[in-house]
Each structure stands twice: as C-alpha cells, then as structure tokens.
C-alpha cells in the first residue's frame, strides 16, 4: 500500500528514503538510514525488524542485493513483504513478495531502488526511476521529493493519498553538526501529503541549511549599519559598527542560527531581516 525510493548521492555522502502511502504515518514505519552505511524501506506487510537487521548487515559491508536476500530468506512471511535497500557503494536492490497486492513490483540501479504495492500500475515505479535519474541538478532531498511527486502524478497508491515521509542522513549533517540526521520530515494524515511535505522541506531548508560560502556578504560598512538599524527596529539594539551580537540574538529567536557565519551575513538571513521590519512611509510635508 506504499511506494518509495531509496537512494544514495553521487558522492556517497548522503543516503535517504522518500515514501508515500494511503496509510497512516507511513514515514514512521517504512524508512531507515545510517550515515555512510545505507538506507532501507520496508513496506507491504511491514517487517520493522528489517530496519535494524538490514542496517547491521550494511554496516558489516554486505552488498545491498545480499542484504535483501538474507532478510527475505530468514522471514517466513517474505511472500507478503516488500523491501528496497541501498548500501554505501554499488547497486541498490529491491524485493517484492509473490503475495504483495497488485500492482506490485520494483526496479533498482546504481545507488537507488524504487518499489511499490497496491499501485495503479508499473508506471508509478517508472516515474520514480526516471525522475530520480534525470534530477541530478536538484539538491538531494529535493530530488527524492521530486521523484515521489512524479510517482503520485503517475497514479501512486491506487486507493488514494494519506501520508508521506522524507528521511536523509549525512555524517555530521544534523543540527549544529552534532548528529547525522539531516532531514526527518513526516506528514502523517493529510489529503495532499506530498504537497505538504514539499512545504515542510522548504521551511526546513530555510531554517537549517548551511549558507553557500560563495554568497556570503561582509558584515561591515553600510551593510552593517543597515543591519543594525533593522535589528534595533525589531527590539534588538545594535551597534552600527558591530551588529553581530544583536544579529545572533535575533536569529536565535527566529530559528535561523544554523545560517550564521561570524563576520558575514547570509543573503537568506538578510532578506528575512529586511522583510521582518514593517515599511514605515515617510511623513508627508505640510500642505
């Protein structure tokens, strides 16, 4: 009752899973991933043990195809299971039990595996595959989500929509660099869960993405004075020559602290700051 894409980035640093289903909170059950190790999607008649067992095998260096084979061989209910696996290197692998409800099936290639059951047809998996393979210009999380959206447009779960989830890991990619969980977003019950997941990813990107070093602006001179004025107007009094302490205080209140760089300012933060201050029209001259 689910379709998913499990994938690895071209440089091998990112692993992730995107999933959608007409099932409550599929994102809580289907995906698992570990940085520099791999990712797994377990679905159909979900076997939650596949997640820790599969990651343990991947951690030991077992190839994705062998992980799938071992999980299925040890499971007496394998005919009702579906699983996709991607390792740190090599081709992905997918398995569909013979009793999964139709349409059910999957495809896999270098660094990816797409699968689904109770779908409108094989065109759903085709869309997942094609959008993933042609989406190399997109950031990894957005690329996964674009593939999920394409799968839904191709028909998706033939019973309708209810939930979606996106999980991405990268070594040191979590909040403040203190963990590996880069993106972990879920829409558990919604009439248009993929669109809602897209909205959440945009908010997540705004708040938690690190700025592009090439776009950073020096926080000095006229720009420093402008930033100080804006911060002061927002109740964070700032020194026009050195507004950084006030900027840190304001950004923390706005949940933008991940975008701060000492001595410089991210254009995304600057734009947010500028729009936060209401425009006050200049006073009119007396008639």
């Amino acid at each position: 009752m689910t379709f998913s894409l499990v994938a690895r980035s071209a440089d091998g640093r990112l692993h992730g899973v995107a999933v959608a289903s007409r099932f409550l909170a599929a994102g809580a059950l289907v995906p698992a991933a570990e940085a520099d190790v791999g990712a797994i999607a377990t679905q159909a008649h979900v076997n939650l043990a596949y997640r820790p067992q599969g990651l343990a095998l991947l951690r030991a260096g077992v190839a994705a195809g062998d992980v799938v084979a071992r999980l299925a061989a040890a499971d007496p209910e394998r005919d009702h299971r579906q699983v996709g696996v991607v390792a740190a290197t090599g081709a992905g692998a997918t398995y569909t039990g013979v009793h999964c409800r139709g349409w059910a099936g999957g495809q896999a290639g270098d660094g990816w595996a797409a699968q689904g059951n109770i779908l409108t047809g094989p065109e759903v998996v085709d869309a997942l595959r094609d959008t993933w393979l042609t989406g190399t210009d997109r950031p990894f999380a957005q690329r996964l989500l674009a593939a999920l959206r394409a799968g839904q447009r191709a028909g998706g779960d033939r019973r309708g929509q209810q939930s979606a989830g996106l999980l991405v890991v990268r070594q040191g990619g979590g909040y403040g660099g203190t963990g590996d969980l880069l993106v972990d977003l879920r829409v558990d019950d919604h009439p248009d869960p993929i669109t809602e997941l897209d909205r959440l990813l945009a908010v997540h990107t705004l708040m938690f993405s690190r700025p592009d070093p090439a776009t950073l602006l020096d926080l000095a001179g006229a720009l420093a004075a402008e930033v100080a004025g804006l911060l002061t107007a927002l109740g964070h009094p700032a020194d026009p020559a050195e507004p950084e302490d006030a900027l840190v205080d304001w950004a923390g209140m706005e949940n933008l602290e991940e975008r701060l760089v000492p001595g410089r300012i991210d254009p995304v933060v600057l734009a947010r700051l500028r729009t936060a201050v209401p425009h006050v029209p200049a006073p009119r001259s007396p008639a």
Side-chain angles (χ1 to χ4, degrees), residues 120-257:
T120 57
E123 64 276 1
V124 178
V125 172
D126 290 345
L128 289 168
R129 175 201 65 205
D130 293 345
T131 305
W132 172 255
L133 293 177
T134 59
T136 54
D137 58 327
R138 294 186 175 100
F140 185 76
Q142 285 80 359
R143 187 179 174 189
L144 281 169
L145 188 52
L148 199 67
R149 191 181 305 111
Q152 181 59 46
R153 287 174 179 163
D157 184 327
R158 63 183 171 89
R159 302 166 310 151
Q161 302 184 66
Q162 186 170 8
S163 67
L166 180 65
L167 176 66
V168 178
V169 296
R170 185 185 70 203
Q171 188 71 38
Y175 182 82
T178 57
D180 302 334
L181 194 58
L182 182 62
V183 178
D184 185 11
L185 297 173
R186 286 172 28 192
V187 177
D188 289 344
D189 187 20
H190 194 280
D192 192 358
I194 298 175
T195 297
E196 177 64 6
L197 188 61
D198 195 13
R199 185 189 69 81
L200 292 177
L201 181 58
V203 175
H204 183 280
T205 301
L206 170 68
M207 291 187 173
F208 302 123
S209 291
R210 274 67 168 205
D212 179 353
T215 67
L216 294 173
L217 305 170
D218 290 332
L219 192 57
L223 181 58
E226 179 196 357
V227 167
L230 293 169
L231 290 166
T232 299
L234 290 169
H236 299 267
D239 182 340
E242 296 182 2
E244 194 158 347
D245 287 346
L247 179 61
V248 169
D249 185 50
W250 172 81
M253 296 294 289
E254 294 294 312
N255 301 318
L256 293 170
E257 62 272 14

Side-chain angles (χ1 to χ4, degrees), residues 7-123:
R8 179 184 69 239
S9 63
D11 62 7
R13 297 181 61 205
L14 294 150
H15 286 83
V17 182
V19 57
S21 180
R22 210 279 284 173
F23 185 87
L24 181 68
L29 301 177
V30 172
E34 184 174 328
D36 298 332
V37 170
I40 295 170
T42 174
Q43 53 199 55
H45 185 46
V46 170
N47 184 342
L48 294 177
Y50 279 10
R51 301 189 304 180
Q53 291 171 359
L55 289 175
L57 290 169
L58 291 170
R59 206 177 300 123
V62 178
D66 292 331
V67 170
V68 166
R70 292 191 193 187
L71 291 174
D75 186 355
E77 294 293 316
R78 57 186 169 272
D79 288 350
H80 301 274
R81 313 291 192 200
Q82 190 171 55
V83 61
V85 177
V86 166
T89 61
T94 186
Y95 166 82
T96 299
V98 295
H99 293 318
C100 288
R101 295 187 180 186
W103 187 89
Q107 302 177 35
D110 185 23
W112 64 274
Q115 47 281 314
N117 63 93
I118 315 187
L119 304 183
T120 57
E123 64 276 1

